[in-house]
């Protein structure tokens, strides 16, 4: 399964590079475009803090896109997370895309597969929202909601508060997930856009396990709260 | 084809027999000045044309489109150019002659040249897919057409994004008859925008992040200063509509000085173009905006400008201090420098992200001071089609109840949802004189207490210039306005002529369904079902007329700087209206888009999915454009004139490109006297692929 991790990375990066090399013709109204974004690639400041990342990529047209999302965390070979989503994204409202597809949680083991029905877009007051409903094997269900905003301190110095929460329909003992709200995560990152497409940042990231999941973590001797200072980069092309 | 070297004889010939007509031209010029202009002095001839544009004149022209490395920014970049010139050669034609233009395409892609604003046969119009198949790499296409007009025009590629990379040039056509405009010297001033980035990259960047080039967004310090000035509550209220609509009031230009270098005759501001004059001369400046995306504001500090032509067509002279020139528009102005001095031809982009300059001087040793740019415009609610700027709900009997009583207004379709309406409480001083009241909205406003509206007699007096012929007052709507005292309305006589036969004392008025020619549209604004969907982010609920509006960023220039700014209402044709027929029908087109997705369309339908707009041969039709976006769209109709209805039916000015202000509407008349297929589109290059229609006249 260790190989799967690097395979996952390779797949994502290979897809990304293929997509970014796609070209388009002249003054077409709706050319085939591709987009690869490293939303977060960061390391905690303490030496034993994990490296974590969140990437997304799409290829497609104004209304319809194939969308890949992947995120993960690497602490050590025994403690890592990696998930990949492959979605079809369709514009359904001026600011909203509906997304459906599949998700695989490659790490931790055992892996889990899900069907995804999500929505992504911009809510009033400029909240970037990514929400999804997941239906897994054996009738497991889960929801996730991510909210993010950008506060411009200057045109290039941008503070980004973000919030994410996850919930499970029923417990998954193998993965130490309890039914109900499993965890919340909040972050505050300050980036400086050297160009529109590249910005280093510093930030703080805080997460907390909740409810039954927190109980399971306590039983395993794992921490419930986790906070760290991070340094990272965000980029797109 | 020869490089133009005007000989004394030629010029004398062209000026002979013109003395009378020139003097007849009422210009506000003294007889003294008129005398000094005739005949042309020898010195004026020597430098009649600006230094940098290379002029070609004659009847037969060989043009080639090639790649060329240019350097405007310190970094070499590849441009596409005509005859190795950037901008391309200035073509000088003579009205009444037939010109032949052999255009060779040496690019790797198809190319074309479109003669912008020329009235010509459809197959000579140069639009690939409509007029012809385009010019394939290595091939030559021969354009040949009679020149039936005179004035200042331009030409450009209509293929791909080649217009951005330099395939454009100026056209000046000398009139067959004596020129009614008197001048001693002329300069062509071609404005444009250059980017080292490939246009396809710019377009892709905008699709991925629509504010990619906007480095003037609101910041937290703006927020704090607003809170300091207005308090937390008022700031929250003022911001709430923008926040709820997910729109930016700083969204002025899609592509800005962040990537553009603004050029004057191909010169960046670091190396200003220089134009000479002699003290006391009347100098004709022919401004052409050949930008891909940039609307400019033009002024020459210290000099009044007298506008004598727009889009090549003579207009009644109007003296101003500043004018806005949309992409593809042309303006001819006359300036008369009275002193030996240097003046700055100052051309700032509408979003103030950059400028270009020319040094207009009596002596090559003089250099004019470059002024500071004006503050960046900030959009108001009116620019979203809601003229609720400073709306005071406390004075209006428009509580939540009465709002629901405004049945005729479809709030769900307004740019503001019902939520947003509640957020508008406390906006101060709503100016109803600026509200474009559609018939629906008026009839639906029965429940409103007019005496409490900012529409008392006092404010009515402030409605000067309000053109009631343009108010869509149906019989129903007037019935609802019984309480209004029309005798106190200060309606100019000009607008009254449009209301002949109307009896204001009658509570019920009957008006023709189509407004009279010259006065614009009376019709209600109807949004189509095709405007609903992910491709459209806004609909103007109450679009006001863009006619009297100097436009965003210029509205306070009269008050703040004592500068008179040209508006479209100032444009009246010099020559009587050619076609005096009334329009037999009206076509209402909505300019639509989704800024965030960077999608542009007409009536919510992009070009690829659209059906052609059909006009019957020789019909007289009114086109009303409603701007359901927050951007200005310079709309260009090929093949026929756009006769802008500026309030005088006898002198309707003819244009080829008409700016439609954000959240506003404007009307023009068209005589469909040119058979064939024509393009009709927004001339902002990156809006054009979607905001485009094929027009078929048959």
């Amino acid at each position: 399964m260790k190989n799967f991790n690097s395979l996952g990375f390779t797949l994502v990066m290979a897809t990304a590079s293929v997509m970014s090399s796609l070209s388009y013709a002249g003054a077409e109204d709706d050319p085939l475009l591709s987009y690869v974004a490293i939303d977060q690639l960061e390391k905690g400041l303490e030496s034993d803090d994990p490296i974590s990342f969140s990437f997304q990529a799409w290829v497609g047209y104004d209304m319809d896109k194939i969308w890949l999302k992947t995120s993960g965390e690497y602490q050590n070979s025994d403690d890592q997370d990696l998930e990949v989503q492959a979605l079809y994204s369709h514009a359904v409202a001026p600011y909203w895309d509906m997304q459906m597809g599949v998700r695989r949680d490659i790490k931790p083991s055992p892996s889990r597969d899900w069907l995804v029905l999500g929505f992504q877009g911009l809510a009033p007051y400029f909240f970037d929202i990514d929400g999804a409903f997941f239906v897994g094997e054996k009738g497991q269900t889960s929801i996730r909601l991510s909210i993010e905003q950008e506060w411009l301190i200057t045109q290039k110095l941008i503070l980004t508060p973000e919030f994410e929460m996850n919930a499970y329909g029923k417990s998954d003992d193998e993965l130490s997930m309890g039914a109900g709200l499993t965890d919340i995560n909040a972050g505050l990152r300050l980036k400086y856009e050297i160009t529109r497409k590249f910005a280093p940042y510093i930030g703080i990231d805080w997460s907390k396990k909740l409810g039954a999941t927190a109980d399971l973590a306590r039983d395993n001797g794992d921490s419930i709260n986790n906070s760290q200072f991070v340094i990272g980069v965000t980029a797109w092309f | 084809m020869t490089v133009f070297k005007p000989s004394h004889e030629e010029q004398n010939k062209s000026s002979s027999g013109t003395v009378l007509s020139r003097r007849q031209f009422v210009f506000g010029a003294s007889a003294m000045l008129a005398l000094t202009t005739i005949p042309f002095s020898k010195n004026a001839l020597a430098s009649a044309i600006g230094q940098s544009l290379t002029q070609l004149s004659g009847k037969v022209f060989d043009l080639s489109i090639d790649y060329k490395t240019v350097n405007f920014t310190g970094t070499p970049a590849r441009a596409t150019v005509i005859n190795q010139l950037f901008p391309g050669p200035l073509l000088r034609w003579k009205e009444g002659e037939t010109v032949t233009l052999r255009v060779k395409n040496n690019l790797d892609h198809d190319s074309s040249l479109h003669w912008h604003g020329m009235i010509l046969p459809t197959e000579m119009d140069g639009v690939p897919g409509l007029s012809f198949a385009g010019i394939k790499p290595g091939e030559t296409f021969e354009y040949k057409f009679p020149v039936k007009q005179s004035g200042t025009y331009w030409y450009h590629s209509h293929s791909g994004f080649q217009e951005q990379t330099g395939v454009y040039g100026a056209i000046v056509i000398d009139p067959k008859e004596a020129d009614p405009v008197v001048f001693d010297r002329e300069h062509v001033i071609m404005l444009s925008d250059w980017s080292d980035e490939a246009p396809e990259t710019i377009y892709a960047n905008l699709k991925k992040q629509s504010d990619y080039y906007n480095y003037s967004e609101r910041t937290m310090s703006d927020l704090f200063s607003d809170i300091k000035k207005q308090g937390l509550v008022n700031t929250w209220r003022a911001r709430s509509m923008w926040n709820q609509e997910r729109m930016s009031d700083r969204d002025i230009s899609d592509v800005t000085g962040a990537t553009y270098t603004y050029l004057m005759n191909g010169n960046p501001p670091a190396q200003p173009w220089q134009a000479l004059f002699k003290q006391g001369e009347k100098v004709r400046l022919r401004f052409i905006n050949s930008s891909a995306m940039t609307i400019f504001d033009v002024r020459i500090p210290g000099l009044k400008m007298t506008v004598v032509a727009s889009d090549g067509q003579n207009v009644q002279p109007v003296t101003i201090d500043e004018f806005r020139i949309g992409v593809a528009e042309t303006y001819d102005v006359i300036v008369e420098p009275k002193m030996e001095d240097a003046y700055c031809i100052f051309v700032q982009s509408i979003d103030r992200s950059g400028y270009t300059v020319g040094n207009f001087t009596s002596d090559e040793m003089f250099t004019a001071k470059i002024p500071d740019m004006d503050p960046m415009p900030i959009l108001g609610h009116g620019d979203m089609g809601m003229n609720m700027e400073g709306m005071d709900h406390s004075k209006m009997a428009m509580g939540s109840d009465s709002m629901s009583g405004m049945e005729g207004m479809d709030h769900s379709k307004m740019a503001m949802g019902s939520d947003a309406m509640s957020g508008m409480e406390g906006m101060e001083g709503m100016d109803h004189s600026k509200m474009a009241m559609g018939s629906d909205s008026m009839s639906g406003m029965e429940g409103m207490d007019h005496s409490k509206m900012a529409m008392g007699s006092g404010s009515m007096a402030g409605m000067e210039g309000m053109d009631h012929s343009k108010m869509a007052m149906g019989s129903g709507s007037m019935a609802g306005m019984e309480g209004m005292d029309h005798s106190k309305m200060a309606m100019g006589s000009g607008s009254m002529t449009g209301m002949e036969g109307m009896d204001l004392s009658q509570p019920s008025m009957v008006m023709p369904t189509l407004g009279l020619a010259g006065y614009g549209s009376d019709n209600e604004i109807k949004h189509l079902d095709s405007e609903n969907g992910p491709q459209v982010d806004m609909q103007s609920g109450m679009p006001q007329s863009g006619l009297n509006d100097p436009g965003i960023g210029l509205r306070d220039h009269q008050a703040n700087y004592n500068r008179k700014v040209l508006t479209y209402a100032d444009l009246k044709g010099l020559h009587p209206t050619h076609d005096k027929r009334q329009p037999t029908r009206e076509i209402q087109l909505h300019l639509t888009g989704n800024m965030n997705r960077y999608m542009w369309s007409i009536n919510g339908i992009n070009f690829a999915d659209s059906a052609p707009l059909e006009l019957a041969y020789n019909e007289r039709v009114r086109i009303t454009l409603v701007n359901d976006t927050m951007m200005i769209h310079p709309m260009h109709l090929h093949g026929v004139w756009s006769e802008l209805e500026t309030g005088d039916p006898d002198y309707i000015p003819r244009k080829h490109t008409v700016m439609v202000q954000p959240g506003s509407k404007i009307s023009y008349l068209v005589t469909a006297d040119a058979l064939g297929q024509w393009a009709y589109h927004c001339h902002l290059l990156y809006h054009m692929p979607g905001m485009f229609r094929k027009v078929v006249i048959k």
Side-chain angles (χ1 to χ4, degrees), chain A residues 38-45 49-55 72-74 162 185 187-189 201-205 228-234:
Chain A
I38 300 165
D39 288 335
Q40 288 174 6
L41 178 61
E42 65 192 27
K43 168 86 175 73
L45 289 184
D49 282 342
I51 294 172
S52 57
F53 70 91
S54 166
F55 297 169
E73 200 173 278
Y74 184 90
E162 56 201 295
N185 176 288
L188 190 63
R189 286 170 179 77
Y201 64 83
I202 53 168
I204 48 172
D205 193 81
Q228 54 179 339
F229 288 94
V230 296
I231 182 163
V233 291
T234 176

Side-chain angles (χ1 to χ4, degrees), chain B residues 46-60:
Chain B
S47 52
I49 292 298
Q51 311 299 307
S52 64
L53 293 180
T54 303
Q55 181 172 272
L56 305 176
S57 62
K59 295 179 191 174
V60 182

Side-chain angles (χ1 to χ4, degrees), chain B residues 481-626:
Chain B
M481 293 170 70
E482 284 163 337
M484 281 177 71
D485 185 349
H486 280 76
S487 66
K488 286 188 186 160
M489 285 172 65
M491 295 185 289
S493 56
S495 58
M496 285 305 279
T497 56
M499 296 170 70
E500 276 168 292
M502 280 175 57
D503 185 350
L504 288 170
S505 67
Q506 295 296 318
S508 174
M509 301 191 305
V510 179
M511 288 187 67
T513 51
L514 279 181
L516 295 168
Y519 296 100
S521 175
D522 281 356
N523 278 356
E524 64 178 296
I525 303 303
K526 277 188 186 144
H527 293 282
L528 305 167
D529 287 344
S530 57
E531 273 199 74
N532 297 316
Q535 74 282 12
V536 179
D537 62 12
M538 182 187 131
Q539 296 179 358
S540 301
M542 294 187 284
Q544 58 182 318
S545 167
L547 216 49
N548 287 288
D549 184 4
I552 51 166
L554 297 178
R555 289 170 189 143
D556 57 1
H557 281 198
Q558 181 73 58
N560 290 357
Y561 313 117
N562 201 25
R563 291 185 213 150
K564 174 164 169 51
V565 180
L566 184 77
T567 68
Y568 276 167
D570 294 325
L571 298 179
K572 309 282 188 228
L574 179 64
H575 310 286
T577 304
H578 290 252
D579 186 347
K580 300 222 173 187
R581 288 179 295 165
Q582 294 296 323
T584 51
R585 64 178 177 128
E586 177 172 330
I587 299 167
Q588 188 177 108
L589 295 174
H590 290 255
L591 310 179
T592 48
N594 182 327
M595 183 64 200
N596 200 42
R597 295 184 187 278
Y598 212 74
M599 298 170 72
W600 304 99
S601 53
I602 294 173
N603 290 344
I605 303 166
N606 64 357
F607 177 47
D609 297 334
S610 69
L613 188 63
E614 296 191 351
L615 303 180
Y617 181 65
N618 227 16
E619 79 168 314
R620 184 80 163 158
V621 59
R622 170 179 289 123
I623 294 177
T624 295
L625 297 173
V626 180

